Amino acid sequence: MPSRDGEPLLAARGLRRSFGRLRVLHDIDLSLAPGEVLAVAGPNGAGKSTLLRILAGLMRPTAGEVRVLGQPLTGDAARVRRAIGLLSHQSLLYDDLTLAENLAFVARLYGLARPAEAARAALDAAGLAGRADESPRRLSRGLLQRAAIARALLHGPRVLLLDEPFTALDAVSADRLRAMLEARRAEALGLVVVTHHLAEVWDVATRVAVMVEGRWVCDEPRAGPLERFLPRYREWIGA
Amino acid sequence: MTTAAARATARLGLGISLVALAGLAAVYVLALVYTPVEARQGMAQKIFYLHVPAAWSALISFSLVGITSALYLWLHDPRLDRFAAASAEVGVAFSAIMLTTGPIWAKPIWGTWWTWDARLTLTLFLFFLFIGYLALRASLHDPSERARFSAVVGILGMLLVPFIHLSVYLFRTLHPQPVVLKPSAPSLPPEMLRTLLISTAVFTLLYVGLVTLRYGLGMAQDARDETSDA
Amino acid sequence: MPDALRLALAIAGKDIRAELRSRTALLSAVVFAALVLVVFNFARDPTAISATDLAPSVLWVTFALAAMVALNRAFTIEREHGALDGLLLAPVPRGALFGGKLLANLAFVGTVEAVTLPLFVLFFNVDLTAALPGIIGVTALATIGFVSVGTIFSAMAVRTRFAELMLPVLLLPFMVPPLIGAVQVTSRLLAGRPLSEMLGWLRLLALYDIVFVTLCTMAFSAVVDE
């Protein structure tokens, strides 16, 4: 999908979200350029996951808008949804289908030509070719996440949203995940990583933002070591 | 929206309801003492003055649930959802009244507790639709989800009503009931018509009062939820 | 092929493939239907009421109960591993998502009905041969009606704690017009009555289908989109 130079991949303006009368997000703005890796941190219940769901198009904001490649993210059939990939903490895979069948189905959902081939190619690239005919329920957490990543990237999105991807990952899988993030960044995708563990994502991130009670308290380029950032971080989250 | 506004609304509703209940007592007296006794059905016919307006109010309640549900899905105004919930609770009460007074009347007239006449059948369905609507609301805790889901049930339910009517009509034309007397005589003497209209007006007032009261309670509930979550 | 139809078929195909793989829900529903028939058989006095008088009601109550058991499957599987999000992320019109689930449910309930019907003929000794095409037709008409409402209600019910209880409470009032129509038409078919006696009911069934399939398709977005 074409985008003009200088156009942010993902732009959100004035996002608000309420649940009943409870306001979770207050006038959130966000802009993501190609090759940016934005780490979003903050205490529990700050609204980070809600923000991610809105950016993914899974939740409608009460006010404000999201634009992907300049197109508004409204309407369920918006073609611009093809530009977004989501790695949730759940795998989004069906236990009763094999990995290959799962990915072929996703390929059909996104209207890809030759779904079965696209699925096999994606599994090969993820190093899961040998497990293609197995059910997701047989996979370890690390392998399952690899499959979920393959699923998220299958349709060639320009924006990848990740919700706490390092949770419960062993060190080897975490390294592999960081390498994957770095590779995507090099491909000029835009990444938003919601995380509790800044340490896991610090080196890959190009920008860091902190959300407290539905508001940004920080949105700056990632500069310097984590140790220098932590005291300010602790102050913001009131630790 | 404050707790004070909620309390004021609830008090207004309570006031109107009490006036309406006083009116209801007056209707009782009117029906029993000042309205002529119907020739064929005798004193038992007098429950007609309660039975018909209650059924009518139940139908109005449900139609308003349906209409405010459709408006909610269009406008997303939580006040519409609060109104729908209030109307449903009042409607289920009216339906229950009608379903208990109906058999009380039917027994002396037709010798059976229940008949599948059009009005009773429809009210029975409204009762079940209300129960389903309220049960769904009770099991959902996210306010936005609760409002959306109950709105869908409200709209679908409102559109079911004509199909129930149609089914009962088709059923009855093919299976004529042995009952000769119809619950609502086509031509009523003026005193009976007057009592019926007064009773209908009182029930409408009671509906308005109870819904306002329940709406005020809903406002208070929402205000409390907001402060406890924040 | 228009996108929406293609997507609906892809979703239905996925559901059917997954169900054929595990077969648990299908077998449970079929066994349930068979048991209901057995209970009906023992619950009546064969000398007092002839099978043909009772047959249509027994058949349709069985179909209705079996459908109720089968309907929650469609959205329960989407709750595992957050799969529904996967469907909503993609550029799939919500009406097509509903259509896919409806088709899968129809295939599923239709299969249960197709297995139940011969069992019914067997247990109740009813002769269906002349009426069979008509029975298949009215079964299709009535099933489309209550499965469409059942599909949207099950999408809501699975988000509550007691989905198996919530679905019947919501759905049963909506099953009544199709059930009445189906029983009336079935009983006339079995009695060899002319088509003219069934037209009113058939029109009711067809109108119900059109109204509720359309309405549920339009309302589906309100259920799945937050």
Side-chain angles (χ1 to χ4, degrees):
Chain A
M1 198 173 293
S3 86
R4 288 160 290 179
D5 283 337
E7 174 97 63
L9 282 179
L10 181 65
R13 243 183 11 174
L15 290 182
R16 293 188 195 177
R17 173 70 194 191
S18 302
F19 292 98
R21 303 199 73 86
L22 178 67
R23 186 81 66 84
V24 168
L25 291 178
H26 299 79
D27 290 312
I28 294 291
D29 292 339
L30 184 147
S31 176
L32 193 70
E36 274 202 295
V37 179
L38 173 66
V40 176
N44 274 329
K48 309 189 296 295
S49 290
T50 304
L51 173 64
L52 211 66
R53 285 184 77 80
I54 292 176
L55 294 176
L58 288 175
M59 193 184 281
R60 277 180 291 227
T62 321
E65 70 162 0
V66 177
R67 282 181 176 260
V68 180
L69 296 170
Q71 313 276 340
L73 186 62
T74 51
D76 41 47
R79 296 181 64 87
V80 77
R81 282 178 183 274
R82 273 171 241 266
I84 301 170
L86 175 70
L87 185 69
S88 162
H89 29 244
Q90 293 182 292
S91 68
L92 312 189
L93 298 170
Y94 297 99
D95 281 342
D96 288 322
L97 299 179
T98 65
L99 286 185
E101 286 167 344
N102 262 291
L103 291 193
F105 174 64
V106 174
R108 282 192 201 98
L109 286 183
Y110 283 90
L112 300 182
R114 291 193 282 275
E117 287 174 31
R120 293 269 163 188
L123 288 173
D124 284 342
L128 289 168
R131 318 290 286 255
D133 295 319
E134 284 184 34
S135 156
R137 60 166 79 92
R138 294 174 151 282
L139 299 182
S140 65
R141 162 93 178 113
L143 286 181
L144 191 60
Q145 197 187 63
R146 260 200 260 166
I149 291 168
R151 188 205 182 283
L153 295 172
L154 185 67
H155 52 285
R158 302 287 301 277
V159 173
L160 185 60
L161 307 169
L162 301 99
D163 195 354
E164 319 244 3
F166 290 95
T167 310
L169 269 196
D170 60 281
V172 172
S173 301
D175 282 340
R176 201 191 166 107
L177 178 59
R178 265 187 292 274
M180 187 279 293
L181 294 179
E182 183 55 52
R184 299 288 87 75
R185 190 196 64 73
E187 284 169 9
L189 265 69
L191 279 64
V192 178
V193 186
V194 165
T195 181
H196 271 131
H197 311 277
L198 272 174
E200 298 275 21
V201 80
W202 189 255
D203 292 326
V204 184
T206 61
R207 246 170 77 206
V208 66
V210 178
M211 181 177 283
V212 175
E213 285 179 6
R215 292 187 171 86
W216 291 131
V217 296
C218 155
D219 183 355
E220 61 189 38
R222 193 271 299 168
L226 177 60
E227 293 73 38
R228 253 198 298 154
F229 184 77
L230 278 180
R232 297 159 63 206
Y233 181 61
R234 286 200 197 95
E235 198 185 303
W236 287 318
I237 66 175
Chain B
M1 186 207 67
T2 62
T3 324
R7 249 187 252 131
T9 312
R11 262 196 285 263
L12 176 66
L14 187 59
I16 298 177
S17 307
L18 290 174
V19 169
L21 284 173
L24 199 60
V27 166
Y28 261 121
V29 172
L30 189 64
L32 287 172
V33 178
Y34 292 101
T35 314
V37 179
E38 213 265 352
R40 284 174 296 179
Q41 300 179 51
M43 284 294 279
Q45 180 268 350
K46 302 221 172 189
I47 209 160
F48 167 72
Y49 303 112
L50 263 182
H51 181 158
V52 170
W56 178 243
S57 303
L59 188 59
I60 297 286
S61 298
F62 198 79
S63 308
L64 285 173
V65 170
I67 292 169
T68 48
S69 292
L71 287 174
Y72 176 80
L73 285 184
W74 178 29
L75 299 170
H76 294 287
D77 186 339
R79 291 175 298 181
L80 289 166
D81 175 60
R82 211 182 291 136
F83 183 90
S87 190
E89 285 196 21
V90 174
V92 79
F94 280 138
S95 313
I97 292 173
M98 204 277 187
L99 290 171
T100 45
T101 61
I104 293 173
W105 175 25
K107 185 73 167 116
I109 307 302
W110 295 316
T112 69
W113 288 106
W114 184 262
T115 73
W116 289 103
D117 90 298
R119 201 176 309 117
L120 265 180
T121 307
L122 183 64
T123 310
L124 182 66
F125 272 91
L126 286 178
F127 181 73
F128 286 129
L129 285 171
F130 279 129
I131 294 281
Y133 179 91
L134 293 169
L136 183 65
R137 288 191 74 93
S139 27
L140 295 168
H141 305 289
D142 171 20
S144 139
E145 190 177 68
R146 183 174 58 210
R148 277 184 290 124
F149 285 13
S150 28
V152 172
V153 175
I155 294 170
L156 289 175
M158 185 172 67
L159 277 133
L160 183 67
V161 169
F163 281 99
I164 302 289
H165 253 314
L166 197 54
S167 307
V168 172
Y169 169 75
L170 277 178
F171 196 81
R172 289 172 65 74
T173 52
L174 300 169
H175 300 259
Q177 305 285 56
V179 174
V180 173
L181 299 166
K182 288 176 50 144
S184 59
S187 55
L188 286 174
E191 300 92 352
M192 290 186 173
L193 186 62
R194 180 196 64 192
T195 308
L196 181 63
L197 288 177
I198 293 176
S199 185
T200 306
V202 165
F203 263 88
T204 307
L205 190 65
L206 187 60
Y207 170 79
V208 169
L210 289 174
V211 167
T212 310
L213 172 60
R214 184 60 187 82
Y215 187 88
L217 291 176
M219 286 166 77
Q221 233 163 19
D222 287 347
R224 184 204 63 201
D225 286 343
E226 174 187 7
T227 49
S228 71
D229 276 333
Chain C
M1 185 188 295
D3 262 1
L5 182 59
R6 180 183 57 79
L7 289 167
L9 289 174
I11 291 168
K14 181 269 296 176
D15 269 27
I16 292 172
R17 183 193 297 243
E19 186 51 44
L20 287 177
R21 192 65 59 72
S22 75
R23 285 183 299 273
T24 39
L26 188 62
L27 284 177
S28 308
V30 167
V31 167
F32 178 81
L35 285 173
V36 168
L37 283 179
V38 168
V39 168
F40 269 123
N41 189 54
F42 284 110
R44 71 179 178 97
D45 175 1
T47 58
I49 310 171
S50 81
T52 39
D53 281 346
L54 208 52
S57 309
V58 167
L59 182 66
W60 278 100
V61 170
T62 308
F63 281 170
L65 292 178
M68 205 92 71
V69 162
L71 281 168
N72 272 336
R73 174 211 60 91
F75 288 98
T76 309
I77 58 173
E78 302 294 344
R79 282 172 72 74
E80 293 172 2
H81 311 303
L84 184 64
D85 276 352
L87 292 172
L88 298 174
L89 271 172
V92 174
R94 304 328 189 200
L97 177 52
F98 176 77
K101 286 294 178 180
L102 175 60
L103 287 173
N105 270 340
L106 285 175
F108 193 43
V109 174
T111 306
V112 175
E113 288 171 340
V115 174
T116 305
L117 197 58
L119 281 179
F120 170 74
V121 169
L122 185 70
F123 287 169
F124 284 80
N125 234 344
V126 176
D127 182 14
L128 281 188
T129 39
L132 193 60
I135 301 244
I136 293 177
V138 73
T139 303
L141 262 186
T143 304
I144 290 171
F146 61 72
V147 169
S148 64
V149 182
T151 301
I152 198 173
F153 281 173
S154 75
M156 293 192 257
V158 298
R159 294 189 63 81
T160 67
R161 271 174 76 198
F162 301 108
E164 282 69 35
L165 208 49
M166 185 59 50
L167 181 63
V169 168
L170 288 174
L171 186 58
L172 280 170
F174 289 84
M175 290 185 103
V176 169
L179 278 184
I180 293 182
V183 167
Q184 293 297 319
V185 173
T186 306
S187 106
R188 281 172 183 71
L189 283 170
L190 288 180
R193 308 297 302 165
L195 186 63
S196 57
E197 286 188 22
M198 304 177 227
L199 276 181
W201 293 108
L202 288 172
R203 280 198 210 105
L204 177 79
L205 287 175
L207 187 62
Y208 187 96
D209 287 356
I210 293 169
V211 168
F212 281 96
V213 170
T214 308
L215 214 56
C216 293
T217 307
M218 285 167 35
F220 194 63
S221 170
V223 175
V224 288
D225 284 324
E226 294 180 329

